Amino acid sequence: SIASGDSLLLDATMLRDDERQGEIHELLLFTPEDERVSPQAVAMNAYIIKSDSWAEDFEPIYVIEDQTFPRRFPEGWETTGWILTEVGGDDMMPMFGGGGTEEKSWVAKTESKEYEVITPRLQAKQGHLLRFTADMGGGFMQMFSMFGMGGGDPSYLNLYYKRDYDEDWTLYNTYFQSDTIVFKAPYSGFYRLKFQGSGVSLDDFLGFSLPKKSLKIHDTFTDFSPLLSEKEGETWNVVYNRIVSAQVNEDGTISPIADTACLPYDFDLDEYYAPGTAKIYQMAYLDTIYHQFIFKEMPDNKMKAGTPYMIIVNHGDVSFDAVDAVLTSKLADPVPVYDFTDYFNNFNLSQVR
């Protein structure tokens, strides 16, 4: 018990869950035994990322005395004109995030919208986060330009992303004010982020992870049985040697293309591709006079390891490459066999091919 007016210091632990990424807000509720005292709630806040997250703050590992030569970006970065420069808190007024109290820090900076900078190749599961800070210059010049009072063009930042097999960059968002920005992976895969803007600097990247070692798998499942048996239950990035692409006709129209696959890991199509890109059908055997295979649509678009499926790609390309896939050498249950009566009683024919 605690006497009135006394205080007690408590250690509270927020359980970590890798499936919950980003800012987490919880309430710690204290309920006194004395009903005359009202319950008290204390807000608990945390920012959750994976334990192997990638981080980059552009700080050199040694003191740079001669700054007449420009510093190179860390390994994996690409740029057409951004520079690494050393700045301090005195460069900005407190109202714009400065105040002169911060230690000097290196940042990536550009003054021209003609330049761009691209991150190293990173991997992420759908919903995982990459956080970084963006400074739009601050000070009176930025304030004047924001309110149309001269001072040049306002600072801004365009953020694009591109995954393996994507032909073009996709604009994620445009920013006009200094802030901590969070990029949330729309799909699982291997990403590069591109930044383009004017009068902006970037720093303190945290999230996603550098690509782990990949396992290459070919179509012939049996050829890889010994290898898969050796790695049973292990988690790997998988490079699958097949891409299924919709057909682009001479007149510009697109025709769907079908293919079959039996993967040694679970694969959720909607985790990697936009809705409508492709559909998944599970293979079954119809034991009638014709002895034919049928394919039943899977509404959740998920492929279970060791199970044969047909995939119909409606547009674009679909790869079976996977991030953090759990491998298995085991086939699932035998292909379902239905007789003539089962076929008509248990199936919606509009969902069967």
Side-chain angles (χ1 to χ4, degrees):
S1 62
I2 307 174
S4 176
D6 288 349
S7 61
L8 178 66
L9 182 63
L10 298 175
D11 290 327
T13 301
M14 184 179 291
L15 297 180
R16 170 181 172 152
D17 180 358
D18 273 347
E19 295 305 316
R20 302 178 68 192
Q21 297 280 311
E23 293 184 359
I24 305 297
H25 306 283
E26 301 285 359
L27 286 178
L28 182 61
L29 182 64
F30 294 92
T31 305
E33 294 182 354
D34 190 337
E35 296 181 354
R36 295 172 299 176
V37 181
S38 301
Q40 297 292 321
V42 178
M44 297 180 63
N45 303 314
Y47 189 85
I48 299 178
I49 58 173
K50 289 175 63 65
S51 57
D52 60 351
S53 293
W54 171 71
E56 181 59 70
D57 60 9
F58 301 117
E59 298 303 312
I61 59 176
Y62 51 86
V63 176
I64 298 179
E65 297 181 354
D66 184 359
Q67 298 187 15
T68 58
F69 296 96
R71 278 188 60 203
R72 292 185 177 181
F73 274 78
E75 182 178 359
W77 288 80
E78 297 178 9
T79 182
T80 59
W82 285 59
I83 61 172
L84 293 180
T85 182
E86 193 175 17
V87 296
D90 290 330
D91 296 336
M92 299 180 292
M93 293 183 62
M95 64 182 295
F96 288 99
T101 60
E102 300 91 342
E103 296 181 0
K104 293 240 175 188
S105 173
W106 289 83
V107 298
K109 187 175 182 179
T110 183
E111 296 294 346
S112 172
K113 62 183 180 181
E114 304 299 326
Y115 300 145
E116 59 187 38
V117 64
I118 302 173
T119 67
R121 182 171 177 263
L122 303 167
Q123 76 173 57
K125 297 284 283 185
Q126 186 180 49
H128 284 183
L129 307 175
L130 176 62
R131 185 177 68 172
F132 60 93
T133 59
D135 174 24
M136 304 298 171
F140 284 109
M141 300 301 288
Q142 172 71 356
M143 182 176 66
F144 288 157
S145 62
M146 288 173 60
F147 289 97
M149 300 171 61
D153 295 331
S155 299
Y156 73 95
L157 175 68
N158 285 336
L159 169 57
Y160 303 85
Y161 70 88
K162 185 177 183 181
R163 296 186 306 155
D164 291 357
Y165 305 113
D166 288 344
E167 294 184 1
D168 302 310
W169 291 94
T170 298
L171 178 64
Y172 183 77
N173 209 343
T174 299
Y175 306 91
F176 297 97
Q177 295 183 358
S178 300
D179 202 355
T180 296
I181 296 173
V182 176
F183 174 82
K184 183 177 182 179
Y187 305 103
S188 295
F190 300 92
Y191 282 86
R192 301 197 75 181
L193 302 187
K194 181 173 73 172
F195 304 92
Q196 176 265 331
S198 177
V200 60
S201 62
L202 305 175
D203 201 6
D204 298 328
F205 287 82
L206 181 62
F208 288 10
S209 63
L210 293 174
K212 302 171 186 175
K213 189 174 181 180
S214 297
L215 184 68
K216 295 183 178 180
I217 294 181
H218 298 282
D219 283 330
T220 308
F221 188 91
T222 54
D223 291 348
F224 281 80
S225 293
L227 177 62
L228 292 172
S229 297
E230 175 187 334
K231 301 186 180 303
E232 181 75 34
E234 294 183 7
T235 301
W236 283 79
N237 291 337
V238 174
V239 176
Y240 199 87
N241 78 325
R242 180 161 35 129
I243 297 176
V244 184
S245 303
Q247 177 178 308
V248 180
N249 303 313
E250 292 184 359
D251 61 359
T253 60
I254 298 177
S255 298
I257 292 293
D259 205 344
T260 56
C262 180
L263 304 178
Y265 48 90
D266 292 341
F267 189 82
D268 183 348
L269 189 72
D270 292 341
E271 180 185 329
Y272 289 84
Y273 295 97
T277 300
K279 288 298 297 181
I280 298 295
Y281 295 79
Q282 183 177 358
M283 185 171 70
Y285 185 69
L286 184 60
D287 190 15
T288 67
I289 189 172
Y290 297 109
H291 303 293
Q292 61 185 352
F293 285 104
I294 59 174
F295 297 87
K296 182 183 179 183
E297 181 180 346
M298 307 303 292
D300 59 5
N301 253 2
K302 293 182 180 180
M303 302 172 70
K304 184 179 178 182
T307 302
Y309 294 93
M310 176 175 68
I311 178 172
I312 297 181
V313 178
N314 297 316
H315 58 83
D317 305 318
V318 169
S319 163
F320 296 115
D321 290 1
V323 174
D324 288 341
V326 179
L327 301 178
T328 181
S329 61
K330 299 177 175 62
L331 291 173
D333 296 334
V335 174
V337 177
Y338 301 95
D339 62 23
F340 187 80
T341 304
D342 289 335
Y343 179 52
F344 285 97
N345 290 344
N346 299 327
F347 286 89
N348 178 349
L349 299 186
S350 66
Q351 294 182 318
V352 175
R353 292 178 177 262

